Amino acid sequence: MIVRILNEGQWTLDDEAFAALNAHDDQIEEAVDSGDEARLTRALTALLDEVRSRGTAVPDDSLADSDLILPDAEATLEEVREWLADNSAGEGLVPG
């Protein structure tokens, strides 16, 4: 699966990585529900770090569609709230 981090790039991840990503995703949802911007930033940074550490960077000159797009670490509480609202499946930022 190819994951894009906005304003940064893409990484290829195997399916096994998604259990760890979902744990961070749960923390992001909890931070949004509580309205805690600092907690959101920590959880979002941890999620993105997990993508970078578990994934393999896709070369910039490669054209590949992203299977999943994540906001960058500077995303605000309101921006992430909108991302979550746009996900009609209710699965957070990361499916599964």
Side-chain angles (χ1 to χ4, degrees):
M1 179 175 275
I2 296 178
V3 177
R4 173 177 296 282
I5 299 174
L6 282 185
N7 303 318
E8 192 170 330
Q10 293 177 303
W11 285 261
T12 302
L13 285 104
D14 60 29
D15 292 341
E16 294 173 11
F18 282 87
L21 297 183
N22 275 311
H24 295 296
D25 193 32
D26 291 344
Q27 293 174 5
I28 289 169
E29 288 185 82
E30 291 169 9
V32 169
D33 289 345
S34 68
D36 188 335
E37 188 95 36
R39 184 175 173 193
L40 170 66
T41 300
R42 287 189 304 273
L44 188 54
T45 298
L47 172 68
L48 301 179
D49 287 346
E50 193 80 34
V51 169
R52 291 182 203 107
S53 68
R54 288 182 171 263
T56 302
V58 175
D60 290 337
D61 61 350
S62 177
L63 296 175
D65 289 336
S66 300
D67 299 300
L68 175 63
I69 301 173
L70 298 172
D72 60 24
E74 288 78 38
T76 66
L77 190 61
E78 189 55 38
E79 290 168 336
V80 175
R81 189 173 279 130
E82 288 177 25
W83 279 67
L84 294 171
D86 286 344
N87 182 349
S88 59
E91 293 186 325
L93 296 175
V94 179

